[in-house]
Amino acid sequence: MDFVLEDQPAPDPVPQIDFRAQLNDEQYAAVTAESGPLLVLAGAGSGKTRTLTYRVAWLLSQGVRPGEVLLLTFTNKAAREMLHRVQELTGIEPGRFWGGTFHSIGHRALRMYGEAIGLSRSFTILDAEEAERLLKQVVEAQDKQFFKDKTHPRAGPLSGVLSLARNTQLTVEATVGRYFPHYGDISGLLPGFAKAYEQRKREQKVCDYDDLLVHWLAVLRTAPEVAEYFSHRFRHVLVDEYQDTNTLQAQIVDTIGSHHRIMAVGDD
């Protein structure tokens, strides 16, 4: 595994911005707050995205380098728009930041360091339909009669159960008990299906969307030098729409942001 702790270039000169004039009192307080664990709560239409955008510009004005900022959003479009606005404010190109969805950043991280958990760098990503098809094949290989019983979930709903378990970091049985009690009579079968599904993906060098997060967290927890790389490189972690994060995503944020310089913005 190639592991490089990159030297960062000198900070970019940033045009002077009158933050006080361009932000209201609450936005200004959030944008200019001391670095640390920061949770910003605000309702819809109150300027949460604007606050994050100006926070990036503020950090740059304080000498933080673009490569030291990780911006996590819930759509790649939102990240692009935010970083283009940062470019308008500071002149620094969006491509110099790591910004995007949890899944897109996880994908990028796994291409670099997935080998730490035995994941081939040449893995292919399955779309939802392909993942359901593979799961169906795996289940039928273990139990040919499973899908013939009309009381059992089809491949799509079954995939949803396994996905929820992974994203909430619960066992499959606990997930069924809490969220899908109507599947209680088959809950004992599902862990075996899940294990076989994971094994088949590894054999075929494929990942589903959940794997981009599950494997990323596994790399961070398995390879201390990789966790150190991300923690050292991304000295500031900014998360948009934090109310929509699940347990798995929150654990990724906490692991990368072990230095505690995290700003999470969300609607209470």
Side-chain angles (χ1 to χ4, degrees):
M1 179 182 67
D2 296 327
F3 176 74
V4 179
L5 197 58
E6 302 165 4
D7 291 328
Q8 295 284 357
D12 294 76
V14 176
Q16 218 166 17
I17 301 169
D18 190 345
F19 291 92
R20 194 65 193 85
Q22 298 187 37
L23 301 166
N24 64 34
D25 291 345
E26 291 81 6
Q27 292 169 343
Y28 181 77
V31 165
T32 61
E34 288 292 324
S35 295
L38 301 170
L39 177 62
V40 180
L41 299 178
S46 59
K48 295 192 295 294
T49 300
R50 180 180 179 83
T51 298
L52 267 186
T53 300
Y54 274 82
R55 176 65 173 182
V56 175
W58 169 262
L59 291 173
L60 298 174
S61 75
Q62 301 302 298
V64 174
R65 302 169 179 87
E68 296 176 332
V69 177
L70 174 62
L71 177 64
L72 292 165
T73 62
F74 276 81
T75 67
N76 286 315
K77 180 182 178 183
R80 286 194 299 269
E81 290 176 350
M82 205 177 297
L83 292 176
H84 277 297
R85 179 59 178 144
V86 170
Q87 182 178 18
E88 292 175 359
L89 289 169
T90 66
I92 296 176
E93 302 85 354
R96 297 184 57 195
F97 298 89
W98 276 45
T101 65
F102 280 88
H103 291 86
S104 68
I105 299 298
H107 179 203
R108 188 171 176 179
L110 289 175
R111 293 294 183 192
M112 295 171 63
Y113 296 117
E115 290 176 339
I117 57 169
L119 183 66
S120 169
R121 288 191 181 187
S122 61
F123 68 85
T124 300
I125 301 175
L126 301 175
D127 63 26
E129 185 177 333
E130 291 168 333
E132 288 175 15
R133 189 181 308 124
L134 183 60
L135 177 61
K136 185 173 186 292
Q137 294 170 1
V138 167
V139 171
E140 289 177 337
Q142 289 207 338
D143 185 344
K144 292 181 179 180
Q145 302 303 313
F146 184 83
F147 289 121
K148 293 181 180 180
D149 188 328
K150 295 187 183 299
T151 67
H152 293 171
R154 303 299 91 192
L158 179 58
S159 177
V161 173
L162 302 185
S163 176
L164 184 61
R166 303 180 84 196
N167 282 283
T168 56
Q169 297 286 276
L170 295 172
T171 65
V172 176
E173 295 98 323
T175 301
V176 170
R178 181 177 300 184
Y179 300 105
F180 305 97
H182 50 293
Y183 294 149
D185 59 333
I186 61 168
S187 63
L189 299 174
L190 304 191
F193 294 160
K195 183 177 180 180
Y197 176 56
E198 297 306 316
Q199 182 62 34
R200 184 71 63 87
K201 285 185 293 182
R202 283 300 183 109
E203 291 170 354
Q204 297 188 5
K205 297 182 180 179
V206 297
C207 292
D208 60 27
Y209 288 127
D210 290 332
D211 288 325
L212 300 178
L213 303 184
V214 172
H215 292 335
W216 185 15
L217 182 59
V219 168
L220 294 172
R221 288 178 167 174
T222 302
E225 70 277 13
V226 179
E228 172 63 20
Y229 166 78
F230 281 105
S231 182
H232 176 87
R233 171 165 184 161
F234 301 120
R235 298 178 184 275
H236 297 271
V237 180
L238 286 73
V239 189
D240 196 17
E241 303 294 353
Y242 190 71
Q243 77 280 352
D244 291 332
T245 55
N246 57 39
T247 303
L248 177 57
Q249 292 164 334
Q251 289 176 348
I252 290 170
V253 171
D254 290 345
T255 304
I256 293 175
S258 60
H259 45 57
H260 302 304
R261 290 186 289 277
I262 302 170
M263 173 179 275
V265 178
D267 188 333
D268 61 352

